Amino acid sequence: MITRVAVVALTALVLAPLSAQQPATVSLIINNGIVITVDGNRRVLNPGAIAINGNAIVAVDTPSAVASRYKATQTIDATGQVVMPGLINTHTHAAMVLFRGLGSDMNLMDWLNKVIFPAEAKTLTADFVRIGTELALLEMIQSGTTYFSDMYYFMDTVGRAARAAGVRAMVGQTVIDFPTPDANTHEEAIQRTVALAKEFAGDELITPSIAPHAVYTVSAAHLESVSRTARQLKIPIQIHLSETNDELRQSAEQHQARPVAVLDRLNFWAPITVAAHGVWVNDSEIALLKSRNVGIAHNPESNMKLSSGTAPVVSYRRAGVNVGIGTDGAASNNDLDMFEAMRQAAFQAKLVTGDPTAVSAVEAIEMATIGGARVVGQQDRIGSLEAGKRADLIIVDMSRPRQTPLYDPVAQVVFATNGNDVVTTIVNGTILMRDRKVLTMDEGTVLAAARGAVATVRKAIAP
Ligand SMILES: [Zn+2]
């Protein structure tokens, strides 16, 4: 057994010559920024510096401490700018950006049944999904999202597009009890999931998953089959859960129970289960979700726009349930800006509880970063700026009129910043956007393809 003293002595021996004489060479140093680490001590280093080597963070410290130990082949000066973990969008349907603006001012069930499901049935192909996902990826990179949990169709295409753009993602094959553009039967959806798990097994950026749409659109037998598949393939599950009061009514009709009880009766939960929304839950259901290690993807903007209700975020957090933030699809938001979602999560909680301390700026930023990482089971790799974690981070301009003056960086990020203030986005140590210029995608090509796809949608929805 190596004692702690021995380890310290050994480390000192190895590091002493480096720190005393020769700084180690790393690939990137981000210097002199206001570093919001979101680590366990909620450290904010002002100024701070981050050393990155390859895909990993090797040091987060003061600029002088980092300079004494490391020199870099590339340096970014972040003076006056905020450096923070990339935002984690725990629930979205990326390609739905192509339906952005369709069917406003409706409730969820009307919006789905009258607008979205029919439009999807007539338009979705692998290529349509690729074009939509690329548009979404562009928006996400430009607004500081470095990870997204996606549930949609043609998820192999989504995974490949995200990997090519350099964005981390969980891609969930939709399972729903009607024929879809990528699966005519339940068995076909399961086969697609198996293929997805195989294609992305061990992938650094992409996590395959399975995504049953909801309790009211998937039968009990098929929910069981989903659960079995997730366990066999060792992949996470994503599901819409207790999103609307109408869902509770349908669940009672179809399953004679509330959605959480339906799933628990089926022993549905996987080691990692992401439940989107979780609006209509009572205290005993919150306790049960905690005991089953279910994470909540809270989507305040979508819930407000569709008038679905308000997730009891404060109760979840008090019960120790992991809560992350999501945008949901852009068609019910209507954008993928996680800064806005973060702000609305804080405002909504303050409004509905009558307590201005509910979801503080610090809590909101935690939910959008490390909280989201816990929800998707990636807390050891992403979600905070700490040595040993993957280098997923963003640099945010704080010099614009709307950002001035700057007293409290955390409050400023949550209450005054939006996605357009992000200047640089880095995932896995790779710079995806530098000074607002996206490096991994051609913006003109993506926008032109998206405008082309809109013609298909217009034709599909024409009366
Ligand atoms: Zn959704």
Side-chain angles (χ1 to χ4, degrees):
M1 187 181 145
I2 303 175
T3 64
R4 192 183 150 79
V5 176
V7 171
V8 171
L10 209 64
T11 311
L13 265 177
V14 174
L15 292 179
L18 288 178
S19 53
Q21 296 155 15
Q22 207 180 19
T25 301
V26 295
S27 48
L28 177 63
I29 287 177
I30 298 167
N31 207 20
N32 217 34
I34 303 163
V35 179
I36 302 176
T37 63
V38 201
D39 67 8
N41 297 320
R42 298 177 169 175
R43 277 193 309 162
V44 177
L45 298 163
N46 188 8
I50 299 176
I52 294 163
N53 199 29
N55 68 357
I57 296 170
V58 294
V60 181
D61 213 326
T62 61
S64 59
V66 168
S68 69
R69 285 157 60 202
Y70 302 101
K71 63 178 176 1
T73 47
Q74 190 179 8
T75 300
I76 295 176
D77 178 14
T79 303
Q81 298 175 322
V82 158
V83 184
M84 60 180 281
L87 299 173
I88 293 176
N89 187 344
T90 53
H91 179 69
T92 190
H93 315 278
M96 287 186 81
V97 287
L98 291 176
F99 301 126
R100 186 186 341 246
L102 284 189
S104 299
D105 310 320
M106 302 172 89
N107 69 42
L108 175 73
M109 296 302 171
D110 282 349
W111 178 74
L112 278 179
N113 293 320
K114 293 178 181 167
V115 180
I116 295 301
F117 287 155
E120 286 177 341
K122 288 182 196 159
T123 54
L124 290 196
T125 61
D127 210 43
F128 185 92
V129 168
R130 176 188 59 78
I131 291 166
T133 304
E134 286 178 351
L135 178 64
L137 284 161
L138 198 54
E139 184 181 350
M140 288 192 271
I141 292 170
Q142 289 181 344
S143 55
T145 292
T146 56
Y147 180 106
F148 66 105
S149 297
D150 204 65
M151 38 196 296
Y152 211 53
Y153 306 97
F154 301 104
M155 297 312 291
D156 47 353
T157 303
V158 176
R160 286 175 212 146
R163 186 165 59 191
V167 176
R168 219 179 279 283
M170 171 151 73
V171 294
Q173 168 69 42
T174 290
V175 176
I176 196 164
D177 281 356
F178 52 73
T180 67
D182 74 346
N184 278 316
T185 62
H186 176 77
E187 289 66 34
E188 216 177 310
I190 297 294
Q191 281 162 18
R192 288 192 69 92
T193 307
V194 172
L196 192 72
K198 193 172 167 201
E199 176 169 354
F200 295 102
D203 194 277
E204 172 58 31
L205 294 180
I206 309 301
T207 305
S209 88
I210 187 164
H213 175 263
V215 164
Y216 60 93
T217 46
V218 185
S219 70
H222 288 169
L223 288 168
E224 270 186 317
S225 148
V226 163
S227 176
R228 223 169 22 245
T229 304
R231 285 164 208 229
Q232 276 165 5
L233 298 172
K234 297 188 168 59
I235 56 174
I237 297 177
Q238 304 178 64
I239 186 168
H240 296 102
L241 182 62
S242 300
E243 180 176 0
T244 62
N245 203 11
D246 212 37
E247 174 176 338
L248 264 58
R249 187 186 55 74
Q250 292 191 37
S251 181
E253 278 173 16
Q254 293 167 22
H255 304 276
Q256 294 73 50
R258 292 166 63 92
V260 173
V262 172
L263 295 177
D264 205 56
R265 197 163 62 194
L266 297 170
N267 191 22
F268 170 81
W269 320 107
I272 299 169
T273 306
V274 181
H277 306 297
V279 169
W280 294 86
V281 292
N282 56 36
D283 285 349
S284 63
E285 288 172 322
I286 290 173
L288 191 136
L289 292 169
K290 163 66 184 164
S291 74
R292 304 294 189 247
N293 193 39
V294 176
I296 297 294
H298 173 43
N299 303 273
E301 293 171 283
S302 172
N303 294 160
M304 287 193 279
K305 182 162 185 275
L306 295 166
S307 202
S308 299
T310 309
V313 171
V314 174
S315 300
Y316 277 127
R317 286 174 60 84
R318 198 180 297 132
V321 176
N322 292 323
V323 183
I325 296 177
T327 57
D328 209 348
S332 62
N333 185 302
N334 281 0
D335 60 41
L336 303 177
D337 186 340
M338 278 290 293
F339 283 94
E340 288 183 13
M342 182 161 51
R343 176 156 59 248
Q344 295 306 327
F347 284 175
Q348 188 192 54
K350 293 174 193 309
L351 176 70
V352 298
T353 60
D355 175 4
T357 68
V359 182
S360 66
V362 169
E363 289 176 293
I365 213 170
E366 281 179 357
M367 286 201 289
T369 56
I370 189 67
R374 290 192 191 107
V375 168
V376 300
Q378 299 258 358
Q379 65 273 24
D380 295 335
R381 302 209 305 161
I382 57 174
S384 60
L385 302 182
E386 295 178 77
K389 283 201 168 178
R390 300 292 197 274
D392 289 16
L393 53 99
I394 57 177
I395 304 176
V396 186
D397 181 35
M398 305 304 275
S399 68
R400 293 173 190 179
R402 193 168 36 75
Q403 303 275 60
T404 305
L406 176 59
Y407 297 116
D408 176 344
V410 173
Q412 198 89 324
V413 161
V414 175
F415 297 129
T417 300
N418 70 39
N420 293 323
D421 299 316
V422 176
V423 287
T424 296
T425 300
I426 297 172
V427 176
N428 212 35
T430 302
I431 302 174
L432 309 186
M433 177 172 78
R434 175 100 193 246
D435 299 329
R436 291 299 295 171
K437 164 95 180 122
V438 176
L439 305 174
T440 52
M441 311 183 81
D442 183 72
E443 187 168 349
T445 307
V446 172
L447 287 172
R451 290 188 187 110
V454 166
T456 322
V457 180
R458 282 194 198 285
K459 208 170 134 197
I461 60 167

